[in-house]
Amino acid sequence: MNLALWIVTGILAAVLLVSTSKMYVPRERMAAVGRAAEWVMDFSPGALRAIGALEILAAAGLILPAVLDIAPVLVPVTAICVALLFTGAAIMRLRRGERATIAPDLLYLALAVFVAWGRLGPAPLHG
């Protein structure tokens, strides 16, 4: 169970780090990539930077407390926050009528819930 939680945590952290590209790629360029990225036009550049900053903090919060053995309880707390982030992403996609592009957000939401459940229950990190 511990290995599965570490793998899922690593995947989530990687996804969050990759998605921080919204901080430095112009909105217009991101929106031109395809339908799944058109949502960026609904947000100001400042809001996108704020979301990206939260994603960087989330990636760090999923990994560093456990690796450094400093306040490992922050891992499930961060996973809950990541689940809330992806809940917001899914709601935003539903409001925009983008049901075809909601699947990845729901998958990442499920992974975050799995990490939170696993680290709070069957395989807690001890610090």
Side-chain angles (χ1 to χ4, degrees), residues 23-40:
M23 292 177 67
Y24 51 86
V25 175
R27 292 183 319 154
E28 296 75 18
R29 186 169 167 204
M30 283 186 67
V33 169
R35 176 128 170 93
E38 290 176 355
W39 66 270
V40 297

Side-chain angles (χ1 to χ4, degrees), residues 74-99:
L74 291 178
V75 173
V77 170
T78 302
I80 292 167
C81 293
V82 169
L84 292 173
L85 177 77
F86 283 110
T87 299
I91 290 169
M92 182 265 314
R93 292 210 190 267
L94 286 174
R95 286 185 177 168
R96 288 182 47 86
E98 298 178 356
R99 286 177 171 72

